[in-house]
Amino acid sequence: METRVTKMLGIQYPIIQGGMAWVAEHHLAAAVSAAGGLGLIGGANAPGEVVREEIRKAKELTDKPFGVNVMLMSPYADDVAKVVVEEGIQVVTTGAGNPEKYMDQWKAAGIKVIPVVASVALAKRMEKYGADAVVAEGCESGGHIGEATTMTLVPQVKDAVSIPVIAAGGIGDGRGIAASFMLGAEAVQIGTRFVVAEESIVHENYKQRIIKAKDIDSAVTGRSHGHPIRGLRNKMTREYLKLEQEGKSFEELEYLTLGSLRRAVQEGDVQEGTVMAGQIAGMIHKEQTCKEIIEEMIAEASALLKW
Ligand code: TUI
């Protein structure tokens, strides 16, 4: 199962962890990397110094490489962009925007840059600007999403660029990995299944909400103002969608979601908080260690792909 991605990143398995806000902290990143994948620390909306601390704590837990996801809508993105260079991070993924203005500084530091894209246009642009690979993320993903599905986006991005493509969105087992490889991917990014990992620090209520989720429990809020977010249906999404239908402005809706992801992740408020998760939540039934998750998925994929 060696691919251009495993070779480039120096990892055993072609699996990278999603850079999930509030979830992708040092325990999870170190556990995924120690199990042979690429763990990621999610910069999310955190200040640079908080991300620096997370990086240092992850380094204490593992000698294996791990990366940082820079969330480009963050007011601290410039600071986090500098911190990854100063801390000698070798792999950066980006989300929710176009990372062009950071590319030169990252490439000069020898960082492998892997933008997450939701369109062919941005994938091509990223290749031109020197990206080492792209994550093609379909709208089955949790959190901030684009329009295209994984099934349609991955082969179109694959045909449009020469750099390796990593598939994301709706992948949670070996079948999803095998299907992604059939579409031309050379690795996958997995989020939701790692949220319920034993090493994941999210509140038990959050894990149980994912474990109990059914196929149709997913909802997308924020479509009307151009920032669609996928999560699991609850009191908050019902209220939000009702107000959205009534035509409320972005400002009026924003108060509903302020701090709502943190409330769900840390305090376990899964009714009024935001439970970001992908559509694959309905297929995730138990908590396992990162090592168990990765080895189980790889065994399934290997059998299907005759690796
Ligand atoms: O970034 C994500 N997923 C995220 S970020 C996040 S934190 C957040 N919280 C509240 C509001 C907004 C964000 C939660 N989940 N995935 C990667 C991703 N990037 N999906 C879609 C995109 C994307 C969309 C449009 C990337 C670029 C883009 O356009 C850029 C351009 O300028 O063309």
Side-chain angles (χ1 to χ4, degrees):
M1 69 197 69
E2 205 175 71
T3 70
R4 285 188 292 172
V5 175
T6 59
K7 278 189 255 179
M8 178 201 306
L9 304 179
I11 54 179
Q12 191 180 354
Y13 302 120
I15 295 176
I16 75 172
Q17 171 223 316
M20 303 165 283
W22 290 102
V23 176
E25 50 70 75
H26 64 279
H27 295 98
L28 187 64
V32 170
S33 286
L38 184 81
L40 286 182
I41 287 171
N45 277 315
E49 290 313 306
V50 172
V51 178
R52 192 192 302 282
E53 275 307 301
E54 285 295 318
I55 293 169
R56 292 188 176 173
K57 287 180 189 159
K59 282 179 188 163
E60 282 171 21
L61 294 179
T62 183
D63 294 330
K64 295 273 179 69
F66 61 88
V68 171
N69 174 269
V70 179
M71 208 282 278
L72 297 164
M73 275 165 51
S74 165
Y76 303 106
D78 287 355
D79 289 347
V80 176
K82 262 192 238 130
V83 165
V84 296
V85 173
E86 289 161 5
E87 293 299 313
I89 288 294
Q90 286 161 24
V91 190
V92 165
T93 68
T94 63
N98 178 340
E100 252 162 57
K101 70 169 174 167
Y102 304 120
M103 295 287 259
D104 287 347
Q105 116 192 41
W106 288 339
K107 299 299 299 175
I111 295 174
K112 301 287 182 222
V113 183
I114 309 182
V116 178
V117 303
S119 68
V120 167
L122 190 60
K124 285 167 84 167
R125 204 171 162 103
M126 293 299 96
E127 178 174 53
K128 199 169 101 192
Y129 276 81
D132 296 282
V134 286
V135 175
E137 190 182 277
C139 60
E140 295 93 323
S141 288
H144 179 69
I145 53 169
E147 284 293 333
T149 59
T150 303
M151 180 79 104
T152 57
L153 183 66
V154 173
Q156 292 185 81
V157 170
K158 171 72 189 170
D159 287 347
V161 298
S162 308
I163 52 177
V165 178
I166 298 163
I171 305 163
D173 67 4
R175 291 171 298 181
I177 297 176
S180 300
F181 274 66
M182 289 292 117
L183 297 175
E186 293 184 55
V188 295
Q189 177 190 275
I190 306 251
T192 306
R193 187 149 177 199
F194 285 127
V195 178
V196 305
E198 277 180 24
E199 296 90 343
S200 156
I201 51 74
V202 311
H203 196 284
E204 190 56 27
N205 294 355
Y206 202 116
K207 290 187 186 178
Q208 287 306 317
R209 182 67 190 90
I210 290 176
I211 286 168
K212 294 199 179 118
K214 294 196 289 292
D215 54 349
I216 54 169
D217 282 354
S218 191
V220 178
T221 53
R223 279 220 158 99
S224 62
H225 52 74
H227 294 291
I229 298 279
R230 181 182 299 286
L232 291 172
R233 243 178 249 288
N234 61 10
K235 187 158 175 261
M236 206 280 288
T237 63
R238 277 191 295 275
E239 174 82 349
Y240 196 106
L241 290 168
K242 183 168 152 275
L243 294 173
E244 239 184 318
Q245 263 187 347
E246 290 168 8
K248 294 281 188 291
S249 69
F250 176 62
E251 288 70 26
E252 283 174 288
L253 290 164
E254 203 182 29
Y255 81 94
L256 260 185
T257 52
L258 222 59
S260 64
L261 178 61
R262 192 200 61 77
R263 277 205 306 284
V265 168
Q266 295 194 330
E267 292 167 18
D269 183 357
V270 294
Q271 276 312 313
E272 293 183 26
T274 297
V275 186
M276 288 188 192
Q279 285 185 317
I280 205 67
M283 206 185 66
I284 294 168
H285 301 306
K286 59 178 190 281
E287 189 172 344
Q288 292 169 294
T289 64
C290 290
K291 188 170 186 310
E292 287 165 348
I293 292 172
I294 289 176
E295 287 178 359
E296 188 176 296
M297 291 192 301
I298 291 293
E300 292 163 355
S302 301
L304 291 167
L305 294 167
K306 319 258 183 290
W307 268 339

